[in-house]
Amino acid sequence: MTAGADAILSALRPVVDGIAATFGPTCEVVLHDYRLGERSVVAVAGSVTGRAVGGALSEIGLAVLAQGDAAGNDLNYVSRTGDGRIVKSSTMPLRDGDGRVFGALCVNVDVTALRQAGDLLAALAGTLPPQTPATTFTNDFEDVVDALVRAEELARGRPAAGLGRGERIALLRALDERGVFRVRNAVPRVADRLGVSRSAVYADLAECRREAQQ
């Protein structure tokens, strides 16, 4: 897998620059190598999300990991950055010669100005635009973990550090389904966020996976 995957990544590096240059300053292209774990960004052109080489994958990348080799192209979805910009994106998984997913090519276009114009027209027409979900684009994977844990805390109405074991297992199941634990070094970060030991997270994660198989 390694040689074939490396060749594909090498071939795509000039494509990253070419796409970004073609669509201009509102476009960003990011190349991910998921074999690198939390620091999966290996090439980037443009600055829509502010990431750099060595940056982290987002919740969108985790969704690709969660789907594994069954992951397909996710095209023209809309999300919101932490500073409120609206981004239209496409994520295309990369496969080696055996069909195994090892990375992704992502194109992000800042459509904030277009969306603002659309919202103004919608307001004049008396209709409300739909809410756009937030996505954590960052160079630090811990920020992504924090965002996902915060979402689970809001859903439960309680801080993660105060959950009993049963609730903690349910939270870990939700994170597992979103692909968090497919990233190396995710367990220590989640353990810190939950205020428990790494061994406790490993034990609870094993338990929730056993329950899922029953």
Side-chain angles (χ1 to χ4, degrees):
M1 173 178 174
T2 299
D6 288 345
I8 292 171
L9 292 172
S10 295
L12 284 174
R13 289 175 189 273
V15 175
V16 167
D17 293 325
I19 294 174
T22 299
F23 289 96
T26 62
C27 178
E28 173 192 80
V29 184
V30 183
L31 185 64
H32 290 274
D33 182 353
Y34 294 146
R35 298 171 300 172
L36 300 178
E38 61 186 76
R39 297 191 175 279
S40 64
V41 177
V42 294
V44 59
S47 58
V48 172
T49 66
R51 280 176 295 177
V53 171
L57 71 173
S58 68
E59 295 96 329
I60 299 162
L62 288 177
V64 174
L65 289 178
Q67 296 173 63
D69 294 336
N73 291 344
D74 192 359
L75 306 176
N76 291 323
Y77 56 87
V78 178
S79 60
R80 177 168 46 86
T81 66
D83 59 4
R85 285 176 297 149
I86 306 301
V87 180
K88 187 178 77 167
S89 305
S90 291
T91 297
M92 293 146 284
L94 304 177
R95 288 178 167 80
D96 63 12
D98 296 321
R100 290 175 293 187
V101 172
F102 68 89
L105 178 67
C106 303
V107 180
N108 303 308
V109 179
D110 186 341
V111 295
T112 306
L114 294 174
R115 176 58 68 91
Q116 288 172 340
D119 289 350
L120 176 60
L121 292 174
L124 290 172
T127 59
L128 293 175
Q131 285 287 346
T132 301
T135 299
T136 309
F137 297 109
T138 177
N139 285 313
D140 190 342
F141 183 64
E142 189 166 353
D143 295 336
V144 180
V145 172
D146 280 347
L148 292 173
V149 172
R150 281 197 303 272
E152 294 299 322
E153 288 176 328
L154 289 173
R156 290 167 171 77
R158 296 180 58 188
L163 298 179
R165 186 166 187 262
E167 293 175 301
R168 190 168 67 240
I169 288 175
L171 185 150
L172 292 175
R173 180 181 300 110
L175 296 181
D176 197 26
E177 290 172 350
R178 298 195 66 171
V180 170
F181 297 108
R182 292 177 179 263
V183 178
R184 290 197 307 271
N185 299 321
V187 166
R189 294 178 183 275
V190 173
D192 288 344
R193 193 66 174 76
L194 300 185
V196 298
S197 67
R198 300 179 187 184
S199 59
V201 171
Y202 280 118
D204 292 347
L205 185 58
E207 177 63 23
C208 78
R209 288 173 174 173
R210 280 195 299 270
E211 291 177 357
Q213 293 174 352
Q214 294 176 354

